[in-house]
Amino acid sequence: MSKSQDKMISKYMSYLRVNLIISAYNQVPLSWKDTQNNLGYCKMYFIEKGYGVVYIDDIAYYPKAGDLMFIPEGCTHGYSTIGPKTYTKHWCHFNAYIGSIPISDFLDIPYIKTIKNPQKIISLFEDLTAYYNSDNPFSPLNAQATLMQLLSTYFSEICKNDITLKTQMTDTKLNLLLDFIEKNLHNKITINVLADYMNLHPNYLIRLFTSTFGLSPMEYINRLRIERAKELLTINNESIKLISELVGFSTPYYFSLVFKKQTGLSPKQYRQLTYKKI
């Protein structure tokens, strides 16, 4: 995977949101079978023991003990037992969206991987199921955090370099727009500037961007500017006024206003806490 793809995937992952539907652990019955239908959510299986077949887009997979499966939303999916020794597995159903778009529309993700040291995966699944079954009113927060950790472990540790951007996402105009924003962050950027660059009507651009990332172009730009400002405040001693200009804010006052809204601290307070003397 190229550095440019890494960078783009990182941007998309920062807007990932997940929602757990169900999590459980059981041995499936002999009647465990479903014909191939379009899947309206994602699934993950960790096979502890047993045998069976799982279909993804008309291809048969035979996950075995120690295998972790990711089954993406939007695929055609079916499954069946293939003998008396049925699967015992940890499993969950969930939604995973970047903005309003399923993660599987952005990324090519391996469907199956063998886990050499499965204890971490088992522990995450056990926690996920416990939170799902808990009556604690804050358990949904814990479940969401655990599901994120499970996905992060699969994507960044187990799959490592096997995840790539889908071709249509590599070529999309929105990727070009994100690059344009990053390269011009120090300049004045308005919706009209972005719309002219994309050759789109401003209102359409706002709807397209917001539906994809879950926030408006200007909210995204301000978030990016604040992240860059945090880096500068941490590593150099330039004035707040100069840093506000370097990251593209029109006035130090507006910079401080946005910075405090996003971090809870003024730029000066943030620097006092994080400044590294070189």
Side-chain angles (χ1 to χ4, degrees), residues 41-116:
Y41 46 84
C42 298
K43 293 183 177 184
M44 289 191 83
Y45 296 162
F46 178 73
I47 308 300
E48 190 172 273
K49 59 184 177 179
Y51 302 93
V53 58
V54 177
Y55 298 96
I56 302 175
D57 290 333
D58 299 319
I59 298 175
Y61 297 86
Y62 298 87
K64 60 188 185 302
D67 284 350
L68 183 62
M69 286 202 80
F70 175 85
I71 306 169
E73 178 176 346
C75 72
T76 55
H77 170 57
Y79 49 83
S80 177
T81 57
I82 55 175
K85 294 182 179 180
T86 64
Y87 282 139
T88 297
K89 61 186 175 72
H90 294 273
W91 57 276
C92 64
H93 299 174
F94 59 95
N95 301 116
Y97 290 99
I98 297 170
S100 61
I101 300 174
I103 189 174
S104 52
D105 285 1
F106 282 86
L107 302 176
D108 279 318
I109 301 166
Y111 296 148
I112 185 167
K113 284 286 187 178
T114 299
I115 310 303
K116 294 180 180 179

Coordinates of all heavy atoms in Angstrom, one line a residue, residues 41-116:
Y41 N -25.8 -5.3 6.7 CA -24.9 -5.0 7.8 C -23.6 -5.8 7.7 O -23.6 -6.7 6.9 CB -25.6 -5.2 9.2 CG -26.3 -6.5 9.3 CD1 -25.5 -7.7 9.7 CD2 -27.6 -6.7 9.0 CE1 -26.1 -8.9 9.7 CE2 -28.2 -7.9 9.1 CZ -27.5 -9.0 9.5 OH -28.1 -10.3 9.5
C42 N -22.6 -5.5 8.5 CA -21.4 -6.3 8.6 C -21.5 -7.4 9.6 O -22.3 -7.3 10.6 CB -20.2 -5.4 8.9 SG -19.9 -4.1 7.7
K43 N -20.7 -8.4 9.4 CA -20.6 -9.5 10.4 C -19.1 -9.8 10.6 O -18.2 -9.6 9.8 CB -21.2 -10.8 9.9 CG -22.7 -10.8 9.7 CD -23.1 -12.2 9.3 CE -24.6 -12.4 9.2 NZ -25.0 -13.8 8.8
M44 N -18.8 -10.3 11.9 CA -17.5 -10.9 12.1 C -17.7 -12.2 12.9 O -18.6 -12.3 13.8 CB -16.6 -9.9 13.0 CG -16.1 -8.7 12.2 SD -14.8 -7.8 13.1 CE -13.4 -8.7 12.7
Y45 N -17.0 -13.2 12.5 CA -17.0 -14.5 13.1 C -15.6 -14.8 13.6 O -14.6 -14.6 12.9 CB -17.3 -15.6 12.2 CG -18.7 -15.6 11.5 CD1 -18.9 -16.4 10.4 CD2 -19.8 -15.0 12.1 CE1 -20.2 -16.5 9.8 CE2 -21.0 -15.0 11.5 CZ -21.2 -15.8 10.4 OH -22.5 -15.8 9.8
F46 N -15.4 -15.3 14.8 CA -14.2 -16.0 15.2 C -14.5 -17.5 15.5 O -15.3 -17.8 16.4 CB -13.5 -15.4 16.4 CG -12.3 -16.1 16.8 CD1 -11.1 -16.0 16.1 CD2 -12.3 -16.9 17.9 CE1 -10.0 -16.7 16.4 CE2 -11.1 -17.7 18.3 CZ -10.0 -17.5 17.5
I47 N -13.9 -18.4 14.7 CA -14.3 -19.8 14.8 C -13.4 -20.4 15.9 O -12.2 -20.4 15.8 CB -14.0 -20.5 13.4 CG1 -14.7 -19.8 12.3 CG2 -14.4 -22.0 13.5 CD1 -16.2 -19.7 12.4
E48 N -14.1 -21.0 16.9 CA -13.3 -21.7 17.9 C -13.1 -23.1 17.6 O -12.0 -23.7 17.8 CB -14.1 -21.5 19.2 CG -13.3 -22.0 20.5 CD -14.1 -21.7 21.7 OE1 -13.9 -20.6 22.3 OE2 -14.8 -22.6 22.2
K49 N -14.1 -23.8 17.0 CA -14.0 -25.1 16.6 C -15.2 -25.5 15.7 O -16.1 -24.7 15.6 CB -13.9 -26.1 17.7 CG -15.1 -26.1 18.7 CD -14.9 -27.0 19.9 CE -16.1 -26.9 20.8 NZ -15.9 -27.9 22.0
G50 N -15.1 -26.6 15.0 CA -16.1 -27.1 14.1 C -15.9 -26.8 12.7 O -14.8 -26.2 12.3
Y51 N -16.9 -27.1 11.9 CA -16.8 -27.0 10.4 C -18.1 -26.4 9.8 O -19.2 -26.6 10.4 CB -16.5 -28.4 9.8 CG -15.2 -29.0 10.3 CD1 -15.3 -29.9 11.4 CD2 -14.0 -28.7 9.8 CE1 -14.1 -30.5 11.9 CE2 -12.8 -29.3 10.3 CZ -12.9 -30.1 11.3 OH -11.8 -30.7 11.8
G52 N -17.9 -25.8 8.7 CA -19.1 -25.2 8.0 C -18.6 -24.5 6.7 O -17.4 -24.5 6.4
V53 N -19.5 -23.9 6.0 CA -19.2 -23.1 4.8 C -19.9 -21.8 4.9 O -21.0 -21.7 5.4 CB -19.7 -23.9 3.5 CG1 -21.1 -24.2 3.6 CG2 -19.3 -23.1 2.3
V54 N -19.2 -20.8 4.4 CA -19.7 -19.4 4.4 C -19.5 -18.9 3.0 O -18.5 -19.0 2.4 CB -19.0 -18.5 5.4 CG1 -19.5 -17.0 5.3 CG2 -19.1 -19.0 6.8
Y55 N -20.6 -18.3 2.4 CA -20.6 -17.8 1.1 C -20.6 -16.3 1.1 O -21.3 -15.7 1.8 CB -21.8 -18.3 0.3 CG -22.0 -19.8 0.1 CD1 -22.7 -20.5 1.0 CD2 -21.3 -20.4 -0.9 CE1 -22.9 -21.9 0.9 CE2 -21.4 -21.8 -1.0 CZ -22.2 -22.5 -0.1 OH -22.3 -23.9 -0.2
I56 N -19.6 -15.7 0.3 CA -19.6 -14.3 0.1 C -19.5 -14.0 -1.4 O -18.5 -14.5 -2.0 CB -18.4 -13.7 0.8 CG1 -18.4 -14.0 2.3 CG2 -18.3 -12.2 0.6 CD1 -17.2 -13.5 3.1
D57 N -20.5 -13.4 -1.9 CA -20.5 -13.1 -3.4 C -20.3 -14.3 -4.2 O -19.4 -14.3 -5.1 CB -19.5 -12.0 -3.7 CG -20.0 -10.6 -3.2 OD1 -21.2 -10.4 -3.0 OD2 -19.1 -9.8 -2.9
D58 N -21.0 -15.4 -3.9 CA -21.0 -16.6 -4.7 C -19.7 -17.4 -4.5 O -19.5 -18.4 -5.3 CB -21.3 -16.4 -6.2 CG -22.6 -15.7 -6.4 OD1 -23.6 -16.2 -5.7 OD2 -22.7 -14.8 -7.2
I59 N -18.8 -17.1 -3.7 CA -17.6 -17.8 -3.4 C -17.7 -18.5 -2.1 O -18.1 -17.9 -1.1 CB -16.3 -16.9 -3.5 CG1 -16.2 -16.3 -4.9 CG2 -15.1 -17.7 -3.1 CD1 -15.0 -15.3 -5.0
A60 N -17.4 -19.8 -2.0 CA -17.5 -20.6 -0.8 C -16.2 -20.5 0.0 O -15.1 -20.7 -0.6 CB -17.8 -22.0 -1.1
Y61 N -16.3 -20.2 1.3 CA -15.1 -20.2 2.2 C -15.4 -21.2 3.3 O -16.5 -21.4 3.7 CB -15.0 -18.8 2.8 CG -14.6 -17.7 1.8 CD1 -15.6 -17.0 1.2 CD2 -13.3 -17.4 1.5 CE1 -15.4 -16.0 0.2 CE2 -13.0 -16.4 0.6 CZ -14.1 -15.7 0.0 OH -13.8 -14.7 -0.9
Y62 N -14.3 -21.8 3.8 CA -14.5 -22.9 4.8 C -13.6 -22.5 6.0 O -12.6 -23.1 6.2 CB -14.0 -24.2 4.2 CG -14.9 -24.7 3.1 CD1 -14.6 -24.3 1.7 CD2 -16.0 -25.5 3.3 CE1 -15.5 -24.7 0.7 CE2 -16.9 -25.9 2.2 CZ -16.6 -25.5 0.9 OH -17.4 -25.9 -0.1
P63 N -14.0 -21.5 6.7 CA -13.2 -21.1 7.9 C -13.1 -22.2 8.9 O -14.0 -22.9 9.1 CB -14.0 -19.9 8.5 CG -15.3 -20.0 7.9 CD -15.2 -20.7 6.6
K64 N -11.9 -22.3 9.5 CA -11.6 -23.4 10.4 C -11.3 -22.7 11.8 O -11.2 -21.5 12.0 CB -10.4 -24.2 9.9 CG -9.1 -23.4 9.7 CD -8.1 -24.2 9.1 CE -6.7 -23.4 9.0 NZ -6.9 -22.1 8.2
A65 N -11.0 -23.6 12.8 CA -10.7 -23.1 14.1 C -9.5 -22.2 14.1 O -8.5 -22.5 13.4 CB -10.3 -24.3 15.0
G66 N -9.7 -21.0 14.7 CA -8.6 -20.0 14.7 C -8.7 -18.9 13.6 O -7.9 -18.0 13.6
D67 N -9.8 -19.1 12.8 CA -10.0 -18.1 11.7 C -10.9 -17.0 12.1 O -11.9 -17.2 12.8 CB -10.5 -18.8 10.4 CG -9.5 -19.5 9.7 OD1 -8.3 -19.4 10.0 OD2 -9.8 -20.3 8.7
L68 N -10.6 -15.8 11.7 CA -11.5 -14.6 11.9 C -12.0 -14.2 10.6 O -11.2 -14.0 9.6 CB -10.7 -13.5 12.6 CG -11.4 -12.2 13.0 CD1 -12.5 -12.5 14.0 CD2 -10.4 -11.1 13.5
M69 N -13.3 -14.0 10.5 CA -13.9 -13.6 9.2 C -14.5 -12.2 9.3 O -15.2 -11.9 10.4 CB -15.0 -14.6 8.8 CG -14.6 -15.9 8.3 SD -15.8 -16.7 7.3 CE -15.6 -15.8 5.7
F70 N -14.4 -11.4 8.3 CA -15.1 -10.1 8.2 C -16.0 -10.2 6.9 O -15.5 -10.5 5.8 CB -14.1 -9.0 7.9 CG -14.7 -7.6 7.7 CD1 -15.1 -6.8 8.7 CD2 -14.9 -7.2 6.4 CE1 -15.8 -5.6 8.5 CE2 -15.5 -6.0 6.1 CZ -16.0 -5.2 7.2
I71 N -17.3 -10.1 7.1 CA -18.3 -10.2 6.1 C -18.9 -8.9 5.8 O -19.6 -8.3 6.7 CB -19.3 -11.3 6.4 CG1 -18.6 -12.6 6.8 CG2 -20.3 -11.5 5.2 CD1 -19.5 -13.6 7.4
P72 N -18.6 -8.2 4.7 CA -19.0 -6.8 4.5 C -20.5 -6.6 4.2 O -21.1 -7.4 3.5 CB -18.1 -6.4 3.4 CG -18.0 -7.6 2.6 CD -17.9 -8.7 3.5
E73 N -21.0 -5.5 4.6 CA -22.3 -5.0 4.2 C -22.4 -4.9 2.7 O -21.4 -4.4 2.1 CB -22.7 -3.7 4.9 CG -24.0 -3.1 4.4 CD -24.4 -1.9 5.2 OE1 -23.7 -1.5 6.2 OE2 -25.4 -1.2 4.7
G74 N -23.5 -5.3 2.1 CA -23.7 -5.2 0.7 C -23.3 -6.4 -0.2 O -23.7 -6.5 -1.3
C75 N -22.6 -7.4 0.5 CA -22.3 -8.6 -0.3 C -23.5 -9.5 -0.3 O -24.4 -9.4 0.5 CB -21.1 -9.3 0.3 SG -21.4 -10.1 1.9
T76 N -23.5 -10.5 -1.2 CA -24.4 -11.6 -1.1 C -23.8 -12.6 -0.2 O -22.7 -13.0 -0.3 CB -24.8 -12.2 -2.5 OG1 -23.5 -12.6 -3.1 CG2 -25.5 -11.2 -3.4
H77 N -24.6 -13.1 0.8 CA -24.1 -13.9 1.9 C -25.0 -15.0 2.2 O -26.2 -14.9 2.3 CB -23.9 -13.0 3.1 CG -23.5 -13.7 4.3 ND1 -22.4 -14.5 4.5 CD2 -24.1 -13.7 5.6 CE1 -22.4 -15.0 5.7 NE2 -23.4 -14.5 6.4
G78 N -24.4 -16.2 2.4 CA -25.1 -17.4 2.9 C -24.2 -18.2 3.7 O -23.0 -18.0 3.8
Y79 N -24.7 -19.3 4.3 CA -23.9 -20.1 5.2 C -24.7 -21.5 5.4 O -25.9 -21.6 5.2 CB -23.6 -19.5 6.5 CG -24.8 -18.9 7.2 CD1 -25.7 -19.7 8.0 CD2 -25.1 -17.6 7.1 CE1 -26.8 -19.2 8.6 CE2 -26.3 -17.0 7.7 CZ -27.1 -17.9 8.5 OH -28.2 -17.3 9.1
S80 N -23.9 -22.5 5.8 CA -24.5 -23.8 6.1 C -23.5 -24.6 6.9 O -22.3 -24.5 6.8 CB -24.8 -24.5 4.7 OG -25.3 -25.8 5.0
T81 N -24.1 -25.6 7.6 CA -23.3 -26.6 8.3 C -22.9 -27.7 7.2 O -23.6 -27.8 6.1 CB -24.1 -27.4 9.4 OG1 -25.3 -27.9 8.8 CG2 -24.4 -26.4 10.5
I82 N -21.8 -28.4 7.4 CA -21.4 -29.5 6.5 C -21.2 -30.8 7.2 O -20.5 -31.7 6.6 CB -20.2 -29.0 5.7 CG1 -19.0 -28.6 6.6 CG2 -20.5 -27.9 4.7 CD1 -17.7 -28.3 5.9
G83 N -21.7 -30.9 8.4 CA -21.5 -32.2 9.1 C -21.9 -32.0 10.5 O -22.4 -30.9 11.0
P84 N -21.8 -33.1 11.3 CA -22.3 -33.0 12.7 C -21.5 -32.1 13.6 O -22.0 -31.6 14.6 CB -22.2 -34.5 13.2 CG -21.2 -35.1 12.3 CD -21.3 -34.4 11.0
K85 N -20.2 -31.9 13.3 CA -19.4 -31.0 14.1 C -19.5 -29.6 13.7 O -18.8 -29.1 12.9 CB -17.9 -31.5 14.0 CG -17.6 -32.9 14.6 CD -16.2 -33.2 14.5 CE -15.9 -34.6 15.1 NZ -14.5 -35.0 15.1
T86 N -20.6 -28.9 14.2 CA -20.9 -27.6 13.7 C -20.0 -26.6 14.4 O -19.3 -26.8 15.4 CB -22.4 -27.3 14.0 OG1 -22.6 -27.3 15.5 CG2 -23.3 -28.3 13.4
Y87 N -20.0 -25.4 13.9 CA -19.2 -24.3 14.4 C -19.6 -23.9 15.8 O -20.7 -23.8 16.2 CB -19.4 -23.0 13.6 CG -18.6 -23.0 12.3 CD1 -19.2 -22.5 11.1 CD2 -17.3 -23.5 12.2 CE1 -18.5 -22.5 9.9 CE2 -16.6 -23.4 11.0 CZ -17.2 -22.9 9.9 OH -16.5 -22.9 8.7
T88 N -18.5 -23.7 16.7 CA -18.7 -23.0 17.9 C -17.9 -21.7 17.6 O -16.7 -21.7 17.3 CB -18.1 -23.7 19.1 OG1 -18.8 -24.9 19.3 CG2 -18.1 -22.9 20.4
K89 N -18.6 -20.5 17.8 CA -17.9 -19.3 17.4 C -18.4 -18.1 18.2 O -19.5 -18.1 18.7 CB -18.2 -19.0 15.9 CG -19.7 -18.9 15.5 CD -19.9 -18.8 14.0 CE -21.3 -18.7 13.6 NZ -22.0 -17.5 13.9
H90 N -17.5 -17.1 18.3 CA -17.9 -15.8 18.7 C -18.3 -15.0 17.4 O -17.7 -15.2 16.4 CB -16.7 -15.0 19.3 CG -16.2 -15.6 20.6 ND1 -16.7 -15.3 21.8 CD2 -15.2 -16.6 20.8 CE1 -16.0 -15.9 22.8 NE2 -15.1 -16.7 22.2
W91 N -19.4 -14.2 17.6 CA -19.8 -13.5 16.4 C -20.5 -12.2 16.7 O -21.0 -12.1 17.9 CB -20.8 -14.4 15.5 CG -22.0 -14.9 16.3 CD1 -22.0 -16.0 17.1 CD2 -23.3 -14.4 16.3 NE1 -23.3 -16.2 17.6 CE2 -24.1 -15.2 17.1 CE3 -23.9 -13.3 15.7 CZ2 -25.4 -15.0 17.3 CZ3 -25.2 -13.0 15.9 CH2 -26.0 -13.9 16.7
C92 N -20.6 -11.3 15.8 CA -21.3 -10.1 16.0 C -21.8 -9.5 14.7 O -21.2 -9.8 13.6 CB -20.4 -9.0 16.7 SG -19.0 -8.5 15.8
H93 N -22.9 -8.8 14.7 CA -23.4 -8.0 13.6 C -23.3 -6.6 13.9 O -23.6 -6.2 15.1 CB -24.9 -8.4 13.3 CG -25.1 -9.8 13.0 ND1 -26.4 -10.3 12.8 CD2 -24.3 -10.8 12.8 CE1 -26.3 -11.6 12.5 NE2 -25.0 -12.0 12.5
F94 N -23.0 -5.7 13.0 CA -22.8 -4.3 13.2 C -22.9 -3.5 12.0 O -22.7 -4.0 10.9 CB -21.5 -4.1 14.0 CG -20.3 -4.5 13.1 CD1 -19.6 -3.6 12.3 CD2 -19.8 -5.8 13.2 CE1 -18.5 -4.0 11.6 CE2 -18.7 -6.3 12.4 CZ -18.1 -5.3 11.7
N95 N -23.1 -2.2 12.1 CA -22.9 -1.3 11.0 C -21.6 -0.5 11.2 O -21.2 -0.2 12.3 CB -24.1 -0.2 11.0 CG -25.4 -0.9 10.9 OD1 -26.2 -0.8 11.8 ND2 -25.7 -1.5 9.8
A96 N -20.9 -0.2 10.1 CA -19.7 0.5 10.1 C -19.7 1.5 8.9 O -19.7 1.1 7.7 CB -18.5 -0.4 10.0
Y97 N -19.9 2.8 9.2 CA -20.0 3.8 8.1 C -19.0 4.9 8.2 O -18.5 5.3 9.3 CB -21.4 4.4 8.3 CG -22.6 3.5 7.9 CD1 -23.3 2.9 8.9 CD2 -22.9 3.3 6.6 CE1 -24.3 2.0 8.6 CE2 -24.0 2.5 6.3 CZ -24.7 1.8 7.3 OH -25.7 1.0 6.9
I98 N -18.6 5.3 7.1 CA -17.8 6.5 6.9 C -18.7 7.6 6.4 O -19.1 7.5 5.2 CB -16.6 6.3 6.0 CG1 -15.6 5.3 6.6 CG2 -15.8 7.6 5.8 CD1 -14.5 4.8 5.7
G99 N -19.1 8.5 7.2 CA -20.2 9.4 6.9 C -21.5 8.6 6.8 O -21.9 7.9 7.8
S100 N -22.1 8.5 5.6 CA -23.3 7.7 5.4 C -23.1 6.5 4.5 O -24.0 5.8 4.1 CB -24.4 8.6 4.9 OG -24.0 9.1 3.6
I101 N -21.8 6.2 4.3 CA -21.4 5.2 3.3 C -20.8 4.0 4.0 O -19.9 4.2 4.8 CB -20.4 5.7 2.2 CG1 -21.1 6.9 1.5 CG2 -20.0 4.7 1.2 CD1 -20.2 7.6 0.5
P102 N -21.2 2.8 3.7 CA -20.6 1.6 4.4 C -19.1 1.5 4.1 O -18.6 1.9 3.0 CB -21.3 0.4 3.7 CG -22.6 0.9 3.2 CD -22.3 2.4 2.8
I103 N -18.3 1.1 5.1 CA -16.9 1.0 5.0 C -16.4 0.2 3.9 O -15.4 0.4 3.2 CB -16.3 0.5 6.4 CG1 -14.7 0.7 6.3 CG2 -16.7 -0.9 6.7 CD1 -14.1 0.3 7.7
S104 N -17.2 -0.9 3.5 CA -16.9 -1.8 2.5 C -17.0 -1.1 1.1 O -16.5 -1.7 0.1 CB -17.7 -3.0 2.5 OG -19.1 -2.7 2.6
D105 N -17.6 0.1 1.0 CA -17.6 0.8 -0.3 C -16.3 1.6 -0.4 O -16.0 2.0 -1.6 CB -18.8 1.8 -0.3 CG -20.1 1.1 -0.6 OD1 -20.1 -0.2 -0.7 OD2 -21.2 1.8 -0.6
F106 N -15.6 1.8 0.6 CA -14.3 2.5 0.6 C -13.1 1.6 0.5 O -12.2 1.9 -0.2 CB -14.2 3.4 1.9 CG -15.0 4.6 1.9 CD1 -16.3 4.6 2.3 CD2 -14.4 5.8 1.5 CE1 -17.0 5.8 2.4 CE2 -15.2 7.0 1.5 CZ -16.5 7.0 1.9
L107 N -13.2 0.5 1.2 CA -12.0 -0.3 1.3 C -12.2 -1.8 0.9 O -13.3 -2.3 1.0 CB -11.6 -0.4 2.8 CG -11.2 1.0 3.5 CD1 -10.9 0.7 4.9 CD2 -10.1 1.7 2.8
D108 N -11.2 -2.4 0.3 CA -11.1 -3.8 0.0 C -10.5 -4.4 1.3 O -9.3 -4.2 1.6 CB -10.3 -4.1 -1.2 CG -11.1 -3.9 -2.5 OD1 -12.3 -4.3 -2.5 OD2 -10.5 -3.4 -3.5
I109 N -11.2 -5.2 2.0 CA -10.8 -5.8 3.3 C -10.8 -7.3 3.2 O -11.8 -7.9 2.7 CB -11.8 -5.3 4.4 CG1 -11.8 -3.8 4.5 CG2 -11.4 -6.0 5.7 CD1 -12.9 -3.3 5.4
P110 N -9.7 -8.0 3.6 CA -9.7 -9.4 3.5 C -10.9 -10.0 4.3 O -11.2 -9.6 5.4 CB -8.4 -9.8 4.2 CG -7.5 -8.6 4.0 CD -8.4 -7.4 4.1
Y111 N -11.5 -11.1 3.7 CA -12.6 -11.7 4.3 C -12.2 -12.7 5.5 O -13.0 -12.9 6.4 CB -13.4 -12.5 3.3 CG -14.0 -11.6 2.2 CD1 -14.2 -12.1 0.9 CD2 -14.5 -10.3 2.5 CE1 -14.8 -11.4 -0.1 CE2 -15.0 -9.5 1.5 CZ -15.2 -10.1 0.2 OH -15.7 -9.3 -0.8
I112 N -11.0 -13.2 5.4 CA -10.7 -14.3 6.3 C -9.2 -14.3 6.6 O -8.4 -14.1 5.7 CB -11.1 -15.7 5.8 CG1 -10.9 -16.8 6.8 CG2 -10.5 -16.0 4.5 CD1 -11.6 -18.1 6.5
K113 N -8.8 -14.4 7.9 CA -7.4 -14.4 8.3 C -7.3 -15.5 9.5 O -8.2 -15.5 10.4 CB -7.0 -13.1 8.8 CG -6.7 -12.1 7.7 CD -5.4 -12.4 7.0 CE -5.0 -11.3 6.0 NZ -3.7 -11.6 5.4
T114 N -6.2 -16.2 9.5 CA -5.9 -17.1 10.6 C -5.2 -16.4 11.7 O -4.2 -15.7 11.4 CB -5.1 -18.3 10.1 OG1 -5.8 -19.0 9.1 CG2 -4.8 -19.2 11.2
I115 N -5.7 -16.5 12.9 CA -5.1 -15.8 14.1 C -4.2 -16.7 14.8 O -4.6 -17.8 15.3 CB -6.3 -15.3 15.0 CG1 -7.3 -14.6 14.2 CG2 -5.7 -14.5 16.1 CD1 -6.9 -13.4 13.5
K116 N -2.9 -16.3 14.8 CA -1.9 -17.2 15.5 C -2.0 -17.2 17.0 O -1.8 -18.2 17.7 CB -0.5 -16.8 15.0 CG -0.2 -17.0 13.5 CD 1.2 -16.5 13.2 CE 1.5 -16.8 11.7 NZ 2.8 -16.3 11.3

